[in-house]
Amino acid sequence: MKQTRDDKRTTVEIRHLYKIFGDDPKGALAHVEAGMSKTEILKEHNHVVGLNDINVEVKDGDITVMMGLSGSGKSTLIRHLNRLIEPTAGEVVVDGDDIMAYGDEALRRLRREKMSMVFQNFALFPHRTVLENAALALAVRGVKRADYEDEARRWLDRVGLGGNADQYPSALSGGMQQRVGLARALTSNAPIMLMDEAFSALDPLIRTDMQDLLLELQAELSKTVVFISHDLDEALKLADHLVILKDGYVVQQDEPQAILMNPGDDYIIDFISDINRARVLRVRSVMRATAQPQPNVAGQVHPEDTLEKVIAISGGETGLRYAVTDDEGRQVGILEMQDLVRALVPTGASESGMRTRASA
Amino acid sequence: MATYDFVFDALGLRGWCGEASTDTDAPMSMDELLAQSGGGGGGAAPAVSLWELPFPSMDALNDACAAFPQSRELTQGLERGFLNAKDAMSFVLDPLTQPLSWALESALYGILTTPWWIVIPILMAITWFVSRSWGLLAFVTLSIAGLAFIDHYDYAMQTLAIIFVCAFICVLIGVPIGIAMSRSDSFQNGAIPVLDMLQTLPPFVYLIPLIFLFSVTEPKLYGIAIILYAIVPVIRLTNLGIRMVDPHVMEAAEAFGMTRRQKLYGVQIPLALPNIMAGVNQTIMMSLAMVVIASLVSAPGLGVLVLRGIRNLELGVGLVAGLGIVILAVILDRVTKASLARINAQQKS
Amino acid sequence: MRVNEVLVPGGVEGWWIPTYLAEEHPELTTLEGIMENPDLVGGTFNNCPDGWGCRVVNDNLIRAIDLESSGLDVFNHGSGETLATSMASAYENEEPWFGYYWGPTVPLGQYDMTKVEIGEVDPEVHARNQNPDSDNPGVSDFPAAPILTSVTADLADREPQVVEFLGKMEWETDTMSSLLAWMEENNANAEETAVYFLRNYQDTWSGWLNDAARENLSALLQQG
């Protein structure tokens, strides 16, 4: 049986986190807590609410994707996890420690040993070679070049840059530079990886490559990844747990399939209305869970197969029924093609969604 | 009698003003003399039209009230204040700046007592080391040989030694100041007017007081003059260079737990290096521009020849020495630019 | 067109020490005395800047008397300003000082300096000393330098009265020095000094004017 979310250890927990930008954030905080809206605060008190009562649990070994449009506060949020930005109020607990209580030295140790980070614009050191960039975390800890070189080369090989170790970053393409960024994060051997729109600056094809690379590495390493994205397709592809942010607060957070099947409000419905559901939805989200064998099954499918794949197998025939079997060959459910087709239609509620209303 | 009598009358300060002194030794201007005799000692103030109204300056107010200080007393007061404070200032500043004298003395002594056939190859080696350019090496060698050929070797080397010492000290002091400016906005705001002042204040205005503080035979006098003027670009460009370091790169350095020290030496200074080097180049050029003024406070070198040329109207002497300074300037400029280009190439490649 | 020698006896130049030093150590007023006690004058001879006429003469004198053999350093100033300031600075601190200066000037008027005897004035030797490449410099003190009033021939034609006045105008170097000192002490400007001169040195200027002008000016001053 697959491990459920509740069974996993919580690595990072964000509790009641607020961030308000302005001259007197603490003063404005009182208004936010009293329920004043973001626009009112901006208009009446000239403060910008960046984050508003964020509560997220990041589970060990998961890819937690925080997504939202620009201005939703996602980049601000991820910078609170290693305190590149100080919150106005709230706690960030990493492995049981509230890192807000950390002094400089403890904070540096956290950044050096527990958390690595990948940036949207790569942020490589232009005056250091690819190898030296990849080895940054080790060099910062005081490891000598002779001792870190093997480790850094190993990770450069792993991300496909074995031959570029002695070049300078400016000689590399954007995609290759971000591979260096990834190698830099991996070489630090930190269990937690923060990825701030890591692939957003890349061409679509390269982006897909990088996403595949990340999933491949993740299958191997099981890091705890916090991934920021504004791209829903990317979020759905990568996420074990998806947090959707809007205007600095969490609109909905859940397993991605669950959000697709049960969107929490009109904003989410609109948000997911444009995606290719067949490619994202998986058999386990649509099947009827039962161990009872059924007659007339046309074949067997895997619970993690996408609906797109099943449609291809079925040849478009809607009257069929498939048995859903897991890796050990045990039946875990039955998939009716009719249910599958129904699931492809976006939730009815979106008819009254914001976008429809706006254009009416 | 004077335009602004009414001010003191209205304020009831007439008694404080007292009577104008009739002492014949007191300074008196020609106008006053004529006014005294022409007016026949009469008390009526001549009517002053609005057009001719004098600004209520210290001197104009002194006319109306003898007890009011004249502006010359301001400058006199400054002078007295300086003379009173000079012993204390000398006590602090003299030992503080003494290493500069030693450095200049030993550099001048070293470069002149070392035979030319050692000094010139050393200069060639430095050129090659920083530029790796055959063309530049040939240019430098020919220029120095040319100066030596027309018997200007000693003067040129003295000037070069002074510039080396002063530029080195400028970097030694200027880079840390620039770094401090880049880290604190308030320090930057305070420092910029001072830097502006250093570049505009005529050097003799502070050099003459310095002679009162130190012995006039000290080389540090001209060292200070050169450094105060030439240090400005290296400070400005260090500050600018560090402030211009990509904030994303700095964020990455922060995110990987670099200490302030690691960030400074590992990221900020290397990335600001092109700007710092541009500052060094400017600093060297500006110290060369001060060579003639430095010679007015007894700096040896080509500046002395320029002054001699000007004073004796020996146009040839002045012209050749001036050209010698230009040649040194071109050499130093090309060599520092070449090393700058190499740093840039390294970061871009 | 030369009109007159305005200063009597003329400009003085030479090597000087402060009077307070001369009073304390009377032996320092001669060159021999200085060369025997170089430390008493601060160990340094303050020489003229390069490019000045006196520099050539000084350099030749230094060679002729072999000044440096006594242990005195010759410091070549870069400019007249630093030369004057070094003297002023030493004077303010009552420190020893030894060097070249000339008058009438503000510093020589303001600071009480004593001339060091170099030797007899020998015009021929002095002329030789003025040649920078002189083979055999000699020892000769500085002769007084004539300071002249000159006008263009044009002015003499146009304003004969003024030129006549200039022809009579002459005063003593000491008067000039004391005027300069008064000016410095009172922080006065040139115009105020002129007034001071008119009011306090009647004897000097009365001989310069014809009778009518003298009476005019006297009347004017009397009223004040």
Side-chain angles (χ1 to χ4, degrees):
Chain A
M1 196 61 209
K2 205 180 166 203
Q3 210 182 7
T4 66
R5 186 170 158 80
D6 291 339
D7 300 335
K8 294 183 193 167
R9 197 169 62 86
T10 299
T11 309
V12 181
E13 188 176 359
I14 304 166
R15 290 185 197 148
H16 303 295
L17 196 71
Y18 290 89
K19 178 66 184 176
I20 294 157
F21 298 98
D23 300 330
D24 177 24
K26 294 276 180 206
L29 178 64
H31 299 295
V32 177
E33 282 173 330
M36 210 179 225
S37 83
K38 184 172 173 154
T39 18
E40 280 173 320
I41 300 253
L42 181 61
K43 216 158 85 182
E44 289 174 31
H45 302 283
N46 203 22
H47 280 69
V48 176
V49 181
L51 296 174
N52 186 350
D53 197 13
I54 306 286
N55 292 280
V56 176
E57 285 183 28
V58 175
K59 295 289 186 182
D60 185 42
D62 267 6
I63 299 181
T64 302
V65 177
M66 311 208 174
M67 83 150 294
L69 302 177
S70 56
S72 61
K74 56 192 190 302
S75 282
T76 309
L77 178 54
I78 199 171
R79 280 167 176 72
H80 280 84
L81 301 185
N82 56 0
R83 269 179 66 188
L84 288 177
I85 297 179
E86 299 288 333
T88 307
E91 293 174 356
V92 174
V93 180
V94 177
D95 291 337
D97 275 3
D98 178 9
I99 65 165
M100 293 310 158
Y102 278 5
D104 282 353
E105 187 51 45
L107 185 60
R108 267 201 297 277
R109 209 174 315 122
L110 172 85
R111 290 169 177 173
R112 287 176 181 185
E113 288 161 18
K114 270 197 186 158
M115 284 184 182
S116 58
M117 195 160 182
V118 182
F119 298 87
Q120 176 172 15
N121 24 46
F122 324 140
L124 301 175
F125 291 1
H127 59 298
R128 295 195 183 176
T129 61
V130 166
L131 180 79
E132 288 161 346
N133 264 290
L136 175 67
L138 297 178
V140 166
R141 284 177 219 167
V143 179
K144 295 275 165 286
R145 187 186 168 102
D147 301 321
Y148 69 57
E149 194 166 341
D150 286 347
E151 181 75 359
R153 278 191 196 281
R154 189 163 71 85
W155 288 111
L156 282 175
D157 279 340
R158 188 65 193 80
V159 298
L161 287 177
N164 305 84
D166 296 320
Q167 285 176 313
Y168 282 90
S170 51
L172 305 181
S173 69
M176 289 162 93
Q177 288 192 31
Q178 194 57 304
R179 283 169 194 263
V180 180
L182 201 54
R184 176 169 72 177
L186 293 169
T187 309
S188 88
N189 279 320
I192 304 169
M193 239 165 83
L194 307 179
M195 303 183 76
D196 177 26
E197 302 227 30
F199 306 144
S200 300
L202 305 175
D203 294 340
L205 277 179
I206 296 168
R207 193 187 311 166
T208 311
D209 281 350
M210 293 296 286
Q211 289 162 355
D212 293 341
L213 176 65
L214 177 65
L215 287 174
E216 211 179 285
L217 287 165
Q218 179 61 5
E220 203 177 295
L221 306 169
S222 294
K223 300 255 185 202
T224 304
V225 179
V226 178
F227 195 103
I228 297 291
S229 179
H230 65 259
D231 176 354
L232 186 60
D233 286 315
E234 179 172 77
L236 293 170
K237 179 170 174 180
L238 299 177
D240 294 309
H241 182 72
L242 179 59
V243 181
I244 296 179
L245 292 165
K246 180 196 172 195
D247 290 346
Y249 67 92
V250 176
V251 187
Q252 188 177 9
Q253 56 174 320
D254 208 333
E255 200 240 345
Q257 300 283 315
I259 292 181
L260 285 179
M261 299 306 288
N262 303 298
D265 71 358
D266 289 354
Y267 179 77
I268 306 281
I269 291 165
D270 258 8
F271 215 83
I272 61 177
S273 65
D274 281 343
I275 60 154
N276 182 345
R277 294 170 69 89
R279 183 169 297 165
V280 176
L281 281 176
R282 296 178 190 274
V283 169
R284 66 181 157 88
S285 309
V286 184
M287 72 181 187
R288 180 158 48 84
T290 170
Q292 285 286 307
Q294 292 281 315
N296 307 327
V297 289
Q300 291 183 345
V301 292
H302 191 270
E304 292 298 321
D305 284 342
T306 61
L307 300 191
E308 197 176 42
K309 187 176 174 191
V310 181
I311 294 170
I313 294 170
S314 72
E317 196 62 55
T318 52
L320 298 178
R321 156 190 307 159
Y322 289 92
V324 183
T325 51
D326 64 13
D327 294 334
E328 279 88 42
R330 281 184 305 233
Q331 181 188 316
V332 292
I334 292 294
L335 176 69
E336 304 283 352
M337 280 304 279
Q338 275 178 341
D339 292 343
L340 184 152
V341 172
R342 224 172 275 130
L344 291 179
V345 181
T347 322
S350 77
E351 287 307 313
S352 57
M354 286 185 301
R355 200 175 311 166
T356 326
R357 268 178 306 186
S359 59
Chain B
M1 259 175 47
T3 320
Y4 288 99
D5 276 344
F6 70 92
V7 175
F8 296 95
D9 294 338
L11 291 172
L13 292 171
R14 184 47 66 194
W16 169 70
C17 290
E19 282 304 303
S21 112
T22 50
D23 180 8
T24 49
D25 273 6
M28 185 188 240
S29 78
M30 202 66 90
D31 281 348
E32 283 168 341
L33 183 71
L34 293 176
Q36 259 184 30
S37 45
V48 175
S49 77
L50 195 61
W51 194 252
E52 292 168 332
L53 182 75
F55 188 84
S57 66
M58 293 175 80
D59 283 354
L61 292 171
N62 173 269
D63 280 349
C65 170
F68 199 86
Q70 281 183 293
S71 56
R72 68 176 62 148
E73 281 167 54
L74 176 76
T75 51
Q76 256 182 322
L78 270 177
E79 190 181 318
R80 269 197 302 273
F82 172 75
L83 290 177
N84 290 337
K86 77 177 160 52
D87 287 339
M89 284 164 75
S90 166
F91 183 75
V92 176
L93 289 177
D94 208 12
L96 212 62
T97 49
Q98 203 52 43
L100 178 58
S101 273
W102 295 331
L104 284 165
E105 269 163 7
S106 37
L108 287 168
Y109 177 80
I111 208 158
L112 287 185
T113 47
T114 314
W116 61 268
W117 43 267
I118 294 180
V119 173
I120 295 183
I122 288 176
L123 292 176
M124 287 167 67
I126 294 173
T127 308
W128 174 249
F129 180 73
V130 299
S131 72
R132 300 286 152 86
S133 150
W134 287 111
L136 192 59
L137 183 62
F139 173 72
V140 170
T141 312
L142 285 177
S143 302
I144 296 176
L147 284 171
F149 186 69
I150 56 169
D151 285 305
H152 279 57
Y153 173 82
D154 279 1
Y155 295 105
M157 288 305 124
Q158 284 170 335
T159 298
L160 210 54
I162 293 171
I163 303 261
F164 276 158
V165 170
C166 291
F168 179 75
I169 291 173
C170 283
V171 173
L172 210 64
I173 302 172
V175 170
I177 295 178
I179 291 169
M181 273 172 78
S182 72
R183 289 189 169 184
S184 154
D185 282 340
S186 49
F187 182 57
Q188 179 185 244
N189 293 339
I192 282 178
V194 176
L195 295 183
D196 291 341
M197 195 187 76
L198 286 181
Q199 285 198 306
T200 44
L201 199 66
F204 260 61
V205 170
Y206 54 82
L207 273 177
I208 297 297
L210 282 181
I211 297 178
F212 279 86
L213 297 186
F214 314 135
S215 161
V216 73
T217 53
E218 292 282 357
K220 64 183 169 191
L221 278 176
Y222 58 82
I224 290 173
I226 295 176
I227 288 170
L228 284 184
Y229 185 69
I231 200 170
V232 177
V234 74
I235 295 179
R236 280 193 207 278
L237 283 160
T238 302
N239 174 33
L240 183 74
I242 289 183
R243 282 177 184 265
M244 275 180 15
V245 169
D246 186 353
H248 294 119
V249 171
M250 288 311 295
E251 188 179 48
E254 185 78 25
F256 280 90
M258 287 179 115
T259 59
R260 271 169 79 91
R261 205 184 166 75
Q262 284 173 326
K263 279 186 283 189
L264 180 65
Y265 290 107
V267 186
Q268 288 172 308
I269 291 184
L271 290 183
L273 204 55
N275 273 305
I276 296 176
M277 281 306 293
V280 171
N281 172 279
Q282 288 295 302
T283 286
I284 291 177
M285 291 299 105
M286 292 182 76
S287 18
L288 213 46
M290 282 292 282
V291 156
V292 175
I293 289 180
S295 285
L296 287 174
V297 259
S298 319
L302 292 166
V304 175
L305 293 185
V306 172
L307 288 179
R308 183 190 298 168
I310 296 169
R311 286 175 180 149
N312 294 356
L313 293 181
E314 294 173 6
L315 297 183
V317 172
L319 218 55
V320 169
L323 275 176
I325 293 177
V326 171
I327 289 176
L328 285 188
V330 175
I331 290 176
L332 291 170
D333 183 57
R334 290 302 130 82
V335 171
T336 45
K337 285 236 178 82
S339 62
L340 177 62
R342 276 188 59 218
I343 292 169
N344 277 335
Q346 216 170 44
Q347 289 196 359
K348 295 271 149 50
S349 70
Chain C
M1 205 181 126
R2 212 175 254 214
V3 177
N4 191 16
E5 290 194 7
V6 64
L7 277 176
V8 181
V12 285
E13 51 183 332
W15 295 2
W16 307 77
I17 56 170
T19 299
Y20 54 79
L21 196 62
E23 280 164 2
E24 201 180 329
H25 306 283
E27 72 274 17
L28 294 181
T29 51
T30 62
L31 204 52
E32 293 74 40
I34 287 178
M35 287 178 69
E36 276 163 26
N37 307 292
D39 290 341
L40 289 182
V41 292
T44 302
F45 173 70
N46 289 275
N47 199 2
C48 290
D50 208 347
W52 285 17
C54 57
R55 171 67 177 273
V56 175
V57 179
N58 283 346
D59 285 352
N60 280 322
L61 276 172
I62 290 164
R63 271 204 291 156
I65 52 186
D66 198 9
L67 187 71
E68 284 169 297
S69 69
S70 69
L72 277 169
D73 290 327
V74 174
F75 181 74
N76 299 323
H77 278 269
S79 60
E81 287 74 17
T82 62
L83 178 61
T85 314
S86 73
M87 186 167 94
S89 165
Y91 204 96
E92 294 287 345
N93 292 331
E94 296 237 342
E95 281 167 3
W97 186 87
F98 172 46
Y100 172 90
Y101 219 80
W102 76 103
T105 47
V106 172
L108 268 198
Q110 187 182 3
Y111 304 116
D112 191 2
M113 304 297 285
T114 300
K115 201 156 180 280
V116 175
E117 283 172 31
I118 300 174
E120 292 297 303
V121 176
D122 182 338
E124 200 191 316
V125 173
H126 185 69
R128 234 176 27 230
N129 283 350
Q130 282 173 315
N131 174 8
D133 304 317
S134 178
D135 293 330
N136 54 339
V139 180
S140 159
D141 209 337
F142 293 82
I147 296 183
L148 302 173
T149 308
S150 300
V151 297
T152 58
D154 192 38
L155 184 74
D157 290 345
R158 238 180 332 121
E159 304 281 356
Q161 275 189 315
V162 172
V163 176
E164 191 201 335
F165 156 71
L166 289 174
K168 289 187 196 160
M169 189 177 105
E170 60 178 44
W171 47 358
E172 285 169 22
T173 308
D174 287 348
T175 311
M176 181 72 182
S177 288
S178 60
L179 281 177
L180 286 171
W182 180 88
M183 179 170 167
E184 175 67 29
E185 253 163 51
N186 291 283
N187 224 6
N189 57 30
E191 187 190 296
E192 286 163 344
T193 313
V195 172
Y196 171 78
F197 171 70
L198 287 176
R199 288 166 49 145
N200 293 285
Y201 289 80
Q202 293 227 9
D203 297 344
T204 309
W205 56 257
S206 57
W208 304 351
L209 303 170
N210 58 33
D211 293 345
R214 182 162 50 239
E215 254 157 51
N216 267 346
L217 189 55
S218 301
L220 193 133
L221 288 169
Q222 231 86 83
Q223 282 185 16

